[in-house]
Every structure is written in structure tokens, then in C-alpha cells.
Amino acid sequence: MSSHHFVKEQQEPALLILNTIGFGYESIAPLLEWSPTVLVAQEEVHTVISWGIKIDLIIADMDFQKENYSLLEEQYPVKFLGVSDENFLDEGLQYLIATKHGSVNVIGFNHQQVFGLEAMLSFLDLVVWDAPMRYFPVKNGAFKKWFAGASLQLHAPEGTFVEVQENEENQIYAITYATFIEVGEGFVTFKSNKVFWIGDFVMDY
């Protein structure tokens, strides 16, 4: 992107778009406010262009690059980032780490696979968007946030224990598949001795 007038380069969360199923421009638009670096997997390039979003990097294999070479001129100054075995996520995250980005919103990644991302959490702050929810990791044992009342998913390997403190009341949850909890308005504290993820709804259906 060309305009970084408000924040330092690489300070704002990058945007890595892997899949647009369940997403429209309206759900992505708020993430574009500070002109982030935008990376897009090859299958979603034409959808993202149709939304009017300026792409910085297209993650693509050699065949796609050859067939779509004209994009380099049409979408200048977009660049190709080579990929093999369709490993778009890994290639995108490695690029962001190498270019000193500190955080990224990953659009269209299956939240069931987030446990495989934990090695990256030392290098990047990751938020995973899997419509209609987004998931963020708690990696330092505890996390406190104000909620206006919400339905949340606690997501961790089965058998992980997460303590939830709300209004001076504590409850411990043993995580199973799709553990949802309801929290009221106010600050909620989450604690665990393992990395876990909190999912909240960002879209209404």
C-alpha cells in the first residue's frame, strides 16, 4: 500500500486473505482502515480485486504467475510471492515475519487447525477469522477484556482447563469440542496454563 501517513510501516496488522467464503467486503473493510499490507492467496485474487482492495502481494504458484502476469501491471505495484504445495498460509506468515510485521489478521482459515500455528505466536500476534467468528490466542497464561455481553467459544485441545472469572465468580471449564460460554457486561478474566483461543462472533446471520 502506498499510504502510511498515520502509523509506522509494519506497525498495523497485516491482512492475509486465504479464503473469502462467508465474507463480504463489509466484513473486511474495517481491517483496511490503516492501509495494512495485504496478502492474498491466488484463488481469491479476483474476488478481492472486485472489492476494490489494493493488493500488495499475491501468493501464487508458478502456473498462476505465468497465466496472470498481466496483474503485475494492472495492479501495480503488486508483487508475486512464490508458493509450492499450496502452502499459502505458511508462505504468507514467513514473509510477514521476515519483513518485521508484528501482527496479522488471517481471513478464511479453519479454526480447527489453529493449534498448528502456535510455533508462530512467538513472532506474530495472530487473529484468525473463520466466518462468522474470529479467534485470538491467549498465550501468556491470562487475559482480561471488557465485553458488552457475548457468546464466546473457548477453543483448546480437549482436556485443557480454562478458568473464567466474572464479577468475582470463578468457573473452571474442561474444554471439549465447541465449548461455548455466555458472559455478561463487564470485565472477564481468562486463565490457563496452556495456550488457548477465544472465539467471538463478528457477523450476524
Side-chain angles (χ1 to χ4, degrees):
M1 303 294 284
S2 57
S3 85
H4 288 275
H5 304 300
F6 307 108
V7 288
K8 291 180 183 175
E9 191 82 36
Q10 280 96 16
Q11 193 172 320
E12 70 286 359
L15 189 58
L16 173 53
I17 300 176
L18 301 175
N19 195 312
T20 59
I21 293 175
F23 295 95
Y25 174 75
E26 298 74 22
S27 50
I28 305 292
L31 303 177
L32 299 166
E33 184 179 358
W34 298 106
S35 299
T37 300
V38 177
L39 296 83
V40 181
Q42 62 186 40
E43 299 299 327
E44 300 299 338
V45 166
H46 297 293
T47 298
V48 174
I49 290 173
S50 75
W51 288 345
I53 294 175
K54 190 72 179 160
I55 301 172
D56 295 291
L57 279 155
I58 297 170
I59 310 171
D61 58 30
M62 285 307 297
D63 287 343
F64 182 93
Q65 292 184 40
K66 288 174 186 172
E67 291 165 12
N68 295 274
Y69 194 75
S70 60
L71 286 173
L72 295 180
E73 191 173 324
E74 293 165 11
Q75 299 294 314
Y76 182 84
V78 72
K79 295 176 183 173
F80 284 127
L81 179 63
V83 68
S84 56
D85 302 322
E86 297 193 351
N87 206 345
F88 302 106
L89 175 72
D90 221 39
E91 207 62 57
L93 295 181
Q94 293 292 355
Y95 171 85
L96 292 172
I97 292 169
T99 51
K100 302 289 193 291
H101 284 75
S103 54
V104 58
N105 284 292
V106 181
I107 307 297
F109 182 70
N110 184 350
H111 73 278
Q112 295 290 343
Q113 299 174 17
V114 294
F115 308 136
L117 301 178
E118 288 176 11
M120 297 288 187
L121 297 181
S122 302
F123 306 99
L124 282 170
D125 288 325
L126 285 158
V127 178
V128 169
W129 297 62
D130 185 7
M133 300 185 76
R134 68 178 168 194
Y135 295 81
F136 51 91
V138 178
K139 52 190 178 180
N140 299 317
F143 174 75
K144 185 176 183 180
K145 186 176 189 290
W146 190 89
F147 290 93
S151 178
L152 306 174
Q153 183 182 359
L154 301 178
H155 189 50
E158 283 215 4
T160 301
F161 290 96
V162 177
E163 180 182 351
V164 179
Q165 182 178 357
E166 185 181 3
N167 299 325
E168 305 304 318
E169 291 185 11
N170 285 31
Q171 191 159 351
I172 294 176
Y173 295 87
I175 302 304
T176 56
Y177 178 78
T179 300
F180 281 90
I181 65 169
E182 301 293 327
V183 298
E185 183 174 344
F187 281 102
V188 184
T189 302
F190 305 84
K191 295 178 182 176
S192 181
N193 60 1
K194 294 182 180 177
V195 174
F196 64 101
W197 298 69
I198 298 173
D200 63 343
F201 286 93
V202 286
M203 287 170 246
D204 296 320
Y205 283 109

